[in-house]
Amino acid sequence: MKIIVGVSLVPDSTTKVKIGADNKSIDENGVSYILNPYDEFAVEEALQLKEKNGGEVIAVSYGTDKAKEAIKKAFQMGAEKGVLIKAPSAEFDTYTAAKNLADYIKGQNPDLILFGKTSIDFDGLSVPAMVAEMIDYPCINVVVKLDINGNEITAEREIEGGKEIVVSNLPAVIGTQKGINNPRYPNLKSIMASKSKPIEEAAPTYNGNKYDVVEMKLPAAKAAGKIFSNGAADAAEVVRLLREEAKVI
Amino acid sequence: MSNKILAFVESKDGKFKNSAFEVVSEAKKLAGELGCEFDVLTIGSGVDSEAENLGAYGASKVLVVDLNELNGKSKFAGTQYSHPAFAKVIAETAVKQGANIILISGTGLGKEIAPRVAIKTDSAFCQDCVALHAEGGNIIATKPVYAGKSLINLKFNGDKVLITLRPNVFKPVKSGDAKASVEKLDTGSLNLTDKDFSSAVKEVVVSSEKLDVAEADIIVSGGRGLRGPENFNLVENLAGVLGAATGASRAVVDAGWRPHGEQVGQTGKTVSPSLYIAIGISGAIQHLAGMSSSKCIVAINKDKDAPIFQIADYGMVGDAFEIVPAFTDELKKVLGS
Ligand SMILES: Cc1cc2nc3c(=O)[nH]c(=O)nc-3n(C[C@H](O)[C@H](O)[C@H](O)COP(=O)(O)OP(=O)(O)OC[C@H]3O[C@@H](n4cnc5c(N)ncnc54)[C@H](O)[C@@H]3O)c2cc1C
Ligand SMILES: Nc1ncnc2c1ncn2[C@@H]1O[C@H](COP(=O)(O)O)[C@@H](O)[C@H]1O
């Protein structure tokens, strides 16, 4: 099985967001970057499938040199090949990322393409289905359980209030959601082995955004709340406020 | 060029979802700001009479594609619906109606099909928009990023735009009791091929009879402060009195006390109910990411410095094992149940 995994580098989820001087992006000072948490599920799923069916796992990222960190993490987990499609700048939208990934993947004819369900920076929730549409593959995103039997796929995807059981065929694109597996921690051996793996570089095929960010702002600050400290004795008053002041019950 | 909007709304078993009224109302508002017309599209069966009623929200024409007829073209036996086929229907209809702006509700279904529609129609795309307006003929969409820790305003290049609207954020607005005209679209005219059915939903499993956090107007969530799964009856009783859904922090989901479907937060669900009650939850940034846009937040926590109090409208400092039963009793009194 030839499996391509899309990986992206994102600010750590504990990052305190400060708006940058351009008023359009975050201030990167002091921000640490990690492999997008959902992509860990994608890498893990790819490795498990390879361990079962044989084949290879190729981690691909579209981004600047910095994105190599995401590929390195995939190496540490056990991916054998890594490719960076070099973005001319860090300012690209989901369409541009999807287009460059699709153009690269087209020539590769993989059996399976795994992505995380969303990248936690821009919460695009778009790249998997966009790539699938561009290369004419089926796509199932937000997948919590994946069964592959020959070329038949049965997947469970999470929706509000339950799950959809979706059927499809390989080759396909799958986006992974928490619950599908437990990503492995790299061990010392795999970390050492990853150091000698080279990252291949590919030229971008498309540059040009479909939207521009005109402003980034913080959510409106909330007025200070009312805090009560007499325990159960305050219950009646809070219930009254919910009814008469907040009018939510 | 002149604009035209197509609003895609979801129906199930002959009824529209709440999100449908939100999307139609927003399409009406945007059409007013842009000085253009809008059509509504739905895929369903037995939905015609309900479709007429969308007139009350300002729709003048509702296009209906018959779901059974559409499913008849699927290569998979037992197809209930197919995401790529829905995407094809929306894209083809937009082209036919000359619509350059497409609005779709950002439900689980909407978010799955929208990226495909964006590529098929070559539209600029914004997923999960929370505010929308026109400025000098341009659409400006607001979208939360970094798990809701900041918001961006987007301006689109080109005149083709597709936007999904986060459910529960836009207000449905009834503008009268007019009836919309309903027009059936023949699936034969939509250029569907086998390729458009590259995947199919065979079954929808409802996780439990319980209300899901993602759809609830009131949520009562519990965290590690409840000490063990056996104490979640406190949460459930309170939720029962309020007709609320039960939610949970990741700590208690990871510990196996509560099902994953209840997890609120960055790796769980994003919710914006009118009332969110957090019990024994510290308010870690990843939890806040999923619920900070709730309209009213009540926090019950014994630590007065817990971060949850910083975003609470009403905070009760103290032991949940004392406060929650008293609170539940007081609610029973005023709600009479
Ligand atoms: C990548 C990543 C993603 C994450 N995603 C999520 C997510 O989606 N959702 C999420 O919730 N978390 C998420 N987390 C975890 C998050 O950081 C916290 O660890 C988690 O939210 C803590 O859960 P908690 O508030 O229940 O537990 P704790 O932080 O342990 O808080 C328990 C609280 O209970 C209070 N308490 C104790 N006893 C009592 C009592 N008797 N009465 C009243 N109060 C009491 C304590 O004062 C404390 O504030 C994520 C973390 C990471 C790294
Ligand atoms: N620049 C990128 N390079 C490689 N993969 C990406 C990139 N951006 C997004 N992805 C993949 O697409 C998934 C969804 O991202 P998004 O649609 O941007 O939220 C991520 O979890 C990644 O697997």
Side-chain angles (χ1 to χ4, degrees), chain A residues 12-14 34 37 120, chain B residues 222-227 248-252 263-269 279-288 300-303 306-307 318-321:
Chain A
D12 187 318
S13 68
T14 52
I34 55 167
I120 64 165
Chain B
R224 190 145 53 189
L226 286 165
R227 287 197 214 120
S249 71
R250 171 161 166 182
V252 302
Q263 185 177 318
V264 172
Q266 185 167 315
T267 32
K269 289 177 179 147
I279 304 171
I281 293 179
S282 59
I285 195 147
Q286 298 92 351
H287 189 81
L288 303 187
I300 300 173
N301 195 303
K302 71 173 185 192
D303 173 10
D319 186 357
F321 293 90

Side-chain angles (χ1 to χ4, degrees), chain B residues 90-315:
Chain B
I90 298 169
E92 286 284 322
T93 307
V95 171
K96 273 199 150 115
Q97 304 295 321
N100 61 317
I101 301 164
I102 305 173
L103 301 183
I104 298 179
S105 186
T107 57
L109 178 84
K111 285 188 187 146
E112 185 84 349
I113 57 184
R116 278 197 186 266
V117 181
I119 301 303
K120 284 184 193 290
T121 56
D122 197 25
S123 302
F125 178 45
C126 171
Q127 185 89 282
D128 205 26
C129 170
V130 294
L132 198 57
H133 71 278
E135 216 172 86
N138 287 316
I139 294 176
I140 305 285
T142 306
K143 165 184 167 51
V145 292
Y146 300 101
K149 285 182 259 177
S150 64
L151 298 159
I152 48 174
N153 282 348
L154 300 178
K155 189 166 140 264
F156 302 98
N157 302 322
D159 52 24
K160 290 189 202 158
V161 175
L162 187 153
I163 298 165
T164 61
L165 306 181
R166 180 181 285 191
N168 239 335
V169 170
F170 295 87
K171 285 281 145 279
V173 182
K174 271 203 175 169
S175 46
D177 50 12
K179 297 272 179 222
S181 72
V182 176
E183 190 180 307
K184 277 237 163 336
L185 284 186
D186 174 14
T187 50
S189 70
L190 296 169
N191 299 320
L192 289 149
T193 67
D194 253 6
K195 275 194 165 171
D196 297 311
F197 292 90
S198 59
S199 70
V201 175
K202 286 213 132 171
E203 198 186 336
V204 178
V205 185
V206 178
S207 51
S208 69
E209 288 311 307
K210 288 192 347 197
L211 185 59
D212 191 78
V213 282
E215 293 180 318
D217 193 43
I218 301 182
I219 298 170
V220 183
S221 282
R224 190 145 53 189
L226 286 165
R227 287 197 214 120
E230 66 282 3
N231 297 325
F232 272 73
N233 60 340
L234 288 177
V235 172
E236 279 169 1
N237 292 345
L238 177 53
V241 173
L242 287 165
T246 51
S249 71
R250 171 161 166 182
V252 302
V253 170
D254 282 355
W257 300 358
R258 301 302 288 180
H260 172 59
E262 286 192 357
Q263 185 177 318
V264 172
Q266 185 167 315
T267 32
K269 289 177 179 147
T270 304
V271 298
S272 39
S274 54
L275 175 59
Y276 188 91
I277 304 180
I279 304 171
I281 293 179
S282 59
I285 195 147
Q286 298 92 351
H287 189 81
L288 303 187
M291 47 64 74
S292 58
S293 64
S294 305
K295 269 137 244 158
C296 177
I297 298 169
V298 174
I300 300 173
N301 195 303
K302 71 173 185 192
D303 173 10
K304 69 171 179 23
D305 296 322
I308 191 80
F309 286 126
Q310 282 164 24
I311 63 153
D313 297 277
Y314 304 106

Side-chain angles (χ1 to χ4, degrees), chain A residues 6-8 36 38-39 60-63 92 94 97 101 114-119 123-128:
Chain A
V7 291
S8 59
N36 181 33
Y38 294 107
D39 300 357
V60 181
S61 190
Y62 173 73
F92 52 82
T94 12
L101 289 165
L114 283 159
F115 290 114
K117 78 157 181 181
T118 190
S119 42
D123 282 321
L125 218 117
S126 316
V127 166

Side-chain angles (χ1 to χ4, degrees), chain A residues 15 121 163-164 168 228 245, chain B residues 81 146 149 198 205 314-315:
Chain A
T15 302
D121 48 4
K163 280 179 204 157
E164 289 172 349
S168 189
F228 299 85
E245 187 177 72
Chain B
Y81 52 93
Y146 300 101
K149 285 182 259 177
S198 59
V205 185
Y314 304 106

Side-chain angles (χ1 to χ4, degrees), chain A residues 75-140:
Chain A
F75 278 166
Q76 292 175 0
M77 289 176 73
E80 34 269 304
K81 246 182 90 180
V83 180
L84 175 73
I85 309 166
K86 280 197 98 160
S89 90
E91 269 121 59
F92 52 82
D93 66 11
T94 12
Y95 176 83
T96 305
K99 176 77 176 130
N100 278 285
L101 289 165
D103 285 343
Y104 172 79
I105 292 168
K106 235 178 254 168
Q108 298 289 320
N109 295 314
D111 301 293
L112 184 65
I113 304 158
L114 283 159
F115 290 114
K117 78 157 181 181
T118 190
S119 42
I120 64 165
D121 48 4
F122 267 49
D123 282 321
L125 218 117
S126 316
V127 166
M130 280 186 164
V131 167
E133 180 66 35
M134 289 169 180
I135 63 173
D136 229 337
Y137 273 35
C139 173
I140 314 171

